[in-house]
């Protein structure tokens, strides 16, 4: 199983980035794919997730209205469109695949995803 992220970079406040996560080696339509970020000195934080069997998205409150998660099953790719980026969004963004529903991997359960990508760096300059 491989998950490969791309699309990170250095942007200024208010700008946008679109991250991609290409998934191979598993049944794409039967997993949840989540996006997580780790800022310097902070714990890893779950950001968004999508259930690829029914395209149901989930995002934490702090990014709702700015981040949009989507999937393209034909390309076995999950995207994270990030708009109006702010310096606090800086971090390493990793995608991960899990066998359960998205809700398993966020509050209050925080189950561990099964497969992880290496990550892509996002830096937002004020």
């Amino acid at each position: 199983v491989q998950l490969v992220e791309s699309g990170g970079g250095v942007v200024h406040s208010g700008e946008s980035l679109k991250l991609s996560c290409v998934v191979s080696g598993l049944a794409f339509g039967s997993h949840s794919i989540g996006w997580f970020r780790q800022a310097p000195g902070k714990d890893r934080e779950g950001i968004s997730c999508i259930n690829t069997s029914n395209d149901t998205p989930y995002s934490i409150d702090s990014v709702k209205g700015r981040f949009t998660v989507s999937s393209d099953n034909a390309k076995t790719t999950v995207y994270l469109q990030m708009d109006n980026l702010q310096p606090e969004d800086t971090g390493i963004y990793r995608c991960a695949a899990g066998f359960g529903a998205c809700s398993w991997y966020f509050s209050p359960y925080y189950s561990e995803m099964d497969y992880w990508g290496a990550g892509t760096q996002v830096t937002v300059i004020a």
Side-chain angles (χ1 to χ4, degrees):
V1 177
Q2 272 196 316
L3 294 91
V4 180
E5 304 92 338
S6 63
V10 180
V11 296
H12 289 90
S13 293
E15 294 184 337
S16 299
L17 283 173
K18 186 173 184 177
L19 306 184
S20 298
C21 172
V22 179
V23 181
S24 61
L26 56 75
F28 187 77
S30 61
H31 289 76
S32 292
I33 307 294
W35 285 98
F36 298 78
R37 72 183 172 197
Q38 186 149 19
K42 294 186 177 180
D43 292 336
R44 187 180 67 204
E45 177 183 33
I47 301 298
S48 296
C49 184
I50 189 163
N51 185 329
T52 60
S53 66
N54 58 19
D55 284 343
T56 301
Y58 172 88
S59 290
I60 59 174
D61 288 344
S62 63
V63 304
K64 282 180 180 176
R66 299 192 300 125
F67 291 10
T68 304
V69 61
S70 62
S71 68
D72 184 333
N73 285 18
K75 295 182 178 179
T76 65
T77 301
V78 172
Y79 303 98
L80 185 67
Q81 175 68 45
M82 305 187 294
D83 298 320
N84 191 22
L85 283 160
Q86 301 300 317
E88 55 266 31
D89 295 317
T90 293
I92 297 174
Y93 283 69
R94 301 175 69 188
C95 63
F99 292 101
C102 284
S103 58
W104 291 17
Y105 308 105
F106 293 80
S107 176
Y109 306 109
Y110 297 113
S111 297
E112 187 70 18
M113 284 280 189
D114 298 287
Y115 305 101
W116 290 85
T120 185
Q121 176 71 45
V122 171
T123 302
V124 185
I125 300 170

